[in-house]
Amino acid sequence: MEVKEIDIPQTRAFSAFDKISELGHEQIVYCHDEFTGLKAIIAIHNTVLGPALGGTRMWNYNSDEEALIDVLRLSRGMTFKAAISGLNLGGGKAVIIGDAKKLKSEAFMRRFGRFVESLGGKYITAEDVNMKTRDMEYIAMETKHVTGKPEWMGGGGDPSPVTAYGTYLGMKAAAKKVYGKDSLTGKKVAVQGVGQVGSFLVGHLMKEGAKVYVTDISNTKLEQLSKEHAVEVVEMEAIYDLDIDIYAPCALGATINDGTLGRLKCSIVAGAANNQLADEKRHGQMLIDQGIVYAPDFLINAGGLINVYSEYLGNYNRNLAHSQAEKIYDTCLDILNVATQEGITSQDAAMRLAQERIDAIGKVQLGY
Ligand code: NAD
């Protein structure tokens, strides 16, 4: 094997360790396999409440730094999501760098499964963007630390329908807060991203008689959805300028940012995407200043995690997972009320509740 000289940079514009300590992560694992072309990062944020469970996202990131920041933000979100949902799980997440359409194969996914296995259960994976139940099946051939497996393998299948259901209930709780009643009939809702979660969410909204606008980078998905539902398709950028009641981000994160905030004309932001606020503090406050109520993403999109948790416990039951996810409505309404009463952002109110549980249970575990 040829020995390559290692190029050590003299100045470091970006410090991974600074970022990791800023967000409070426990462990980051870089995974590489030359044969399959696998490049992945597994981030374990916090394991006070239990093993770090979070899906794997496959995305063609522009740089390794972008992938690292994404996995750090996503895994931290999982810690708070599990905590606020009352689950005994920590927060973790994985990203695989590359084009899912070109790279995915049985060997590729199984190699990733071996990396998950090497962590001995400290990290448990599941589906996220561009990962399907079929991929979990391959991963499960190499490790038992995987959820979101197909039903024939004793799994709960795709968690997205439960995520969509919880998001829908969170949206209704926000509607109750803003309009005094939680009906979405006649409300104009813009769903950005009609993938696994977005398309199920559209189903709930249509059933309730909402007027639904959709956008997606994939024309195929838009065409498919338009065949099933009478939705109005809009251009990608146009979604931010619509005269609507509710904006539901269901694609990627950070769509609430300096560029979009001034354009939004809705009264509620409630969607399934993780990390919707580009800057939690600043953009959370800007939403309040614009009179927009924000249903915290990690709270209302927890249905999928609740679903895979039930699978992880070994007694998967879809009805039970659904009824557990129904608690999202009350928690969301409580959080929105606490935020108004205390003059803080709903994101801060939700994070505080989650952190209080982590701190309290951390102390319980100190005893024998
Ligand atoms: P998905 O890949 O099935 O769907 C994402 C959709 O967004 C795709 O159709 C994609 O084409 C589209 N998209 C990507 N970029 C876009 C853009 N700029 N504008 C418009 N559309 C765009 O993924 P998913 O499982 O539906 O997840 C959607 C979001 O919800 C993600 O942020 C994910 O992390 C989050 N989430 C998912 C689950 C789950 O159970 N699947 C659980 C919690 C959170």
Side-chain angles (χ1 to χ4, degrees):
M1 195 175 120
E2 189 194 339
V3 178
K4 292 176 195 150
E5 258 186 46
I6 301 169
D7 185 17
I8 301 168
Q10 296 306 304
T11 53
R12 290 191 311 160
F14 173 79
S15 161
F17 261 112
D18 284 354
K19 200 76 205 159
I20 292 163
S21 55
E22 180 193 323
L23 296 177
H25 285 73
E26 289 178 12
Q27 190 178 3
I28 312 296
V29 183
Y30 279 78
C31 316
H32 171 244
D33 181 59
E34 191 123 14
F35 176 68
T36 55
L38 174 74
K39 277 204 249 171
I41 312 173
I42 299 173
I44 297 169
H45 179 253
N46 185 296
T47 55
V48 170
L49 294 178
L53 198 159
T56 296
R57 170 175 295 190
M58 185 154 185
W59 195 253
N60 216 349
Y61 292 97
N62 291 318
S63 65
D64 298 353
E65 185 182 321
E66 190 183 290
L68 176 66
I69 289 174
D70 203 27
V71 79
L72 292 179
R73 280 168 56 92
L74 288 165
S75 51
R76 174 175 172 269
M78 294 309 293
T79 297
F80 295 108
K81 190 183 304 198
I84 204 164
S85 307
L87 311 178
N88 291 322
L89 291 174
K93 202 92 182 178
V95 294
I96 298 180
I97 302 166
D99 187 338
K101 286 198 187 92
K102 290 189 188 142
L103 280 171
K104 275 208 264 178
S105 67
E106 179 184 347
F108 185 90
M109 293 319 320
R110 290 181 67 166
R111 188 68 188 97
F112 177 67
R114 291 194 75 80
F115 281 111
V116 173
E117 175 64 16
S118 74
L119 289 165
K122 197 171 178 187
Y123 169 68
I124 303 163
T125 199
E127 291 93 343
D128 194 71
V129 176
N130 283 324
M131 296 292 275
K132 302 260 159 34
T133 310
R134 181 79 177 130
D135 301 313
M136 300 306 118
E137 212 176 302
Y138 289 138
I139 292 171
M141 291 175 187
E142 303 299 334
T143 181
K144 62 178 187 301
H145 308 299
V146 52
T147 54
K149 297 189 297 283
E151 285 172 44
W152 67 265
M153 287 179 97
D158 178 13
S160 309
V162 191
T163 303
Y165 181 56
T167 304
Y168 163 68
L169 295 177
M171 189 184 281
K172 281 177 79 65
K176 172 89 179 157
K177 169 82 183 160
V178 175
Y179 311 119
K181 55 180 189 160
D182 65 16
S183 168
L184 298 174
T185 308
K187 294 282 179 259
K188 290 183 262 175
V189 187
V191 180
Q192 180 182 42
V194 286
Q196 277 149 262
V197 181
S199 55
F200 284 110
L201 177 63
V202 168
H204 290 295
L205 296 172
M206 296 303 293
K207 212 167 152 191
E208 201 171 328
K211 159 88 184 134
V212 180
Y213 300 85
V214 294
T215 193
D216 201 291
I217 44 170
S218 159
N219 285 330
T220 321
K221 287 192 179 157
L222 290 170
E223 279 161 23
Q224 223 170 307
L225 192 81
S226 303
K227 277 187 202 149
E228 288 170 44
H229 301 289
V231 290
E232 188 167 325
V233 175
V234 299
E235 292 296 322
M236 291 223 318
E237 269 300 304
I239 195 123
Y240 300 113
D241 302 311
L242 294 173
D243 192 2
I244 47 170
D245 300 297
I246 302 166
Y247 164 51
C250 294
L252 299 181
T255 60
I256 309 288
N257 56 45
D258 290 339
T260 59
L261 258 166
R263 294 162 65 186
L264 289 178
K265 292 186 211 55
C266 54
S267 41
I268 292 171
V269 173
N274 284 308
N275 301 323
Q276 291 166 25
L277 305 176
D279 181 322
E280 283 170 10
K281 295 253 171 256
R282 210 158 55 78
H283 296 131
Q285 185 56 48
M286 283 166 80
L287 282 169
I288 295 180
D289 297 343
Q290 279 182 225
I292 300 174
V293 164
Y294 172 62
D297 51 10
F298 69 90
L299 165 62
I300 72 165
N301 72 11
L305 184 65
I306 291 167
N307 195 61
V308 294
Y309 182 61
S310 152
E311 178 180 338
Y312 159 77
L313 291 177
N315 54 352
Y316 181 72
N317 178 323
R318 186 160 285 252
N319 291 337
L320 202 64
H322 259 89
S323 61
Q324 292 279 70
E326 273 163 13
K327 292 182 187 155
I328 289 174
Y329 181 98
D330 286 340
T331 313
C332 185
L333 197 51
D334 285 350
I335 289 291
L336 296 178
N337 286 331
V338 166
T340 335
Q341 280 153 17
E342 298 195 18
I344 57 174
T345 67
S346 51
Q347 176 80 9
D348 277 349
M351 298 266 288
R352 192 178 68 187
L353 186 65
Q355 190 62 53
E356 280 169 1
R357 179 164 178 256
I358 296 169
D359 293 344
I361 304 303
K363 290 198 184 85
V364 168
Q365 287 169 355
L366 287 177
Y368 176 62

